[in-house]
Amino acid sequence: MSANAPAPFLEQLWASLDGLRCVVVVGLPGTGKSLLVRELAAAAREASRKSTLLQWDVCRESWEGHPRTRSRYPEVDGVTHEGVRVAMGSWVRGAVAAWFAAHAGDEALLIVEAPHIGGRFSELAHAVDDEAEPHLSAPETAFVVVAPEKDLQLALKQQRAADMEDRPRAGGYEQNNASPDLLDELTRSLRGPAHELGIEAGDEQGYDPDLYAGLMRRVLRHRHTTVVRPDALIQVSGSVYDLAEDSERLWADEQEVEASLGVADAMDETELRNRVENWFRT
């Protein structure tokens, strides 16, 4: 695709893009995932390839706007309800399989932003006997963990806080971004799963890029996975959610939202909580 990667730490990924049909960008909020998604779409455009974007924070609006979600599974303090996370997870693998069926034989690129942590599209990591699995486990699908160095992660978090102060909450997809407090909570939440899986921490608290990368490699052990370690910001203008030409978004339609909410409705609160808390057990 593009001969020139937008940053040195992306050169290996960019060199492999010609052979990829799907890139799944994984990891914590505030690490530059959305920016990488945008850069991948731009690279596809430069190579005259169409791209489809499936982003957790964007397509979540299909569920958040549903009347049953607002009454039964409301967002609290900026945290997506477990019921919505389970519903979205029950939909996403079928959506990936349907995209591959619709684009069989063409050169389109599917770009997915799937945090995984806390049960946010973590179903994509599971080895399941369904129509999506052959595509998700194929070499043509790359799972990319974005694990910035510690100093950069701190700068990104500070930038996130400044952006949320300056930008009105009522406009743009940025309103769906995790707050700095939620980012800290999610970062802390990695230590329990890492300890359970035998991954040692280098730092006693705070963001630990080695622990984070090691945990995500273990979670994604059924997938072709690479870890990128950004050490500097990629310069960007405008919103990271701006679509490139020849890009489209993948959404759930009303019928699909209804069906997925039925999956969540069939579980009680304990079952929903257990499902999302066990996101790392694949």
Side-chain angles (χ1 to χ4, degrees):
M1 288 169 68
S2 173
N4 299 312
F9 56 82
L10 293 173
E11 287 178 357
Q12 183 176 354
L13 174 60
W14 250 240
S16 69
L17 287 178
D18 283 341
L20 297 178
R21 291 297 314 281
C22 178
V23 180
V24 184
V25 184
V26 174
L28 284 165
T31 53
K33 296 191 309 297
S34 298
L35 177 55
L36 177 54
V37 166
R38 193 176 98 160
E39 293 296 325
L40 287 165
R45 182 192 65 221
E46 290 178 15
S48 300
R49 293 177 68 180
K50 292 186 177 181
S51 61
T52 302
L53 276 57
L54 170 54
Q55 293 175 273
W56 163 268
D57 278 334
V58 176
C59 74
R60 190 178 78 196
E61 293 187 353
S62 296
W63 282 265
E64 297 291 0
H66 193 281
R68 194 151 89 252
T69 298
R70 291 196 294 268
S71 62
R72 183 164 182 172
Y73 305 121
E75 180 182 292
V76 178
D77 296 330
V79 179
T80 304
H81 195 286
E82 290 95 338
V84 174
R85 285 181 258 173
V86 168
M88 292 178 67
S90 75
W91 165 81
V92 69
R93 291 180 67 101
V96 168
W99 183 90
F100 273 99
H103 292 274
D106 67 25
E107 296 184 348
L109 179 68
L110 176 62
I111 307 168
V112 183
E113 186 175 353
H116 278 62
I117 296 163
R120 294 164 174 85
F121 283 166
S122 54
E123 291 80 3
L124 295 176
H126 299 173
V128 178
D129 184 13
D130 64 5
E131 294 181 357
E133 185 61 24
H135 302 294
L136 292 169
S137 61
E140 292 77 19
T141 295
F143 281 68
V144 181
V145 180
V146 186
E149 300 298 343
K150 195 160 187 173
D151 289 346
L152 178 58
Q153 190 270 347
L154 178 59
L156 287 167
K157 187 173 75 169
Q158 292 170 340
Q159 184 62 55
R160 169 70 59 92
D163 287 347
M164 297 189 79
E165 276 191 22
D166 294 341
R167 184 181 295 112
R169 292 289 294 168
Y173 292 124
E174 281 86 356
Q175 68 180 321
N176 297 326
N177 284 345
S179 69
D181 287 344
L182 178 56
L183 197 162
D184 287 340
E185 181 180 335
L186 290 172
T187 300
R188 288 191 295 270
S189 78
L190 301 180
R191 292 184 175 269
H195 178 74
E196 180 176 325
L197 296 177
I199 299 166
E200 295 184 2
D203 295 323
E204 293 185 359
Q205 59 185 357
Y207 174 72
D208 183 336
D210 293 326
L211 177 143
Y212 163 49
L215 172 61
M216 297 313 298
R217 280 192 181 278
R218 183 72 61 84
V219 169
L220 297 167
R221 65 191 180 279
H222 303 301
R223 303 291 178 245
H224 295 275
T225 305
T226 186
V227 176
V228 296
R229 299 289 294 262
D231 55 6
L233 292 169
I234 299 174
Q235 296 302 313
V236 61
S237 60
S239 170
V240 295
Y241 294 99
D242 289 342
L243 281 179
E245 296 176 12
D246 296 324
S247 293
E248 60 183 10
R249 293 197 185 279
L250 182 56
W251 302 88
D253 62 29
E254 185 174 352
Q255 185 176 3
E256 290 169 331
V257 172
E258 284 280 355
S260 71
L261 286 172
V263 174
D265 291 345
M267 301 181 186
D268 61 27
E269 290 185 8
T270 299
E271 290 174 307
L272 291 174
R273 188 178 309 111
N274 287 340
R275 175 74 70 88
V276 302
E277 288 180 352
N278 288 320
W279 66 271
F280 60 94
R281 297 188 175 98
T282 60

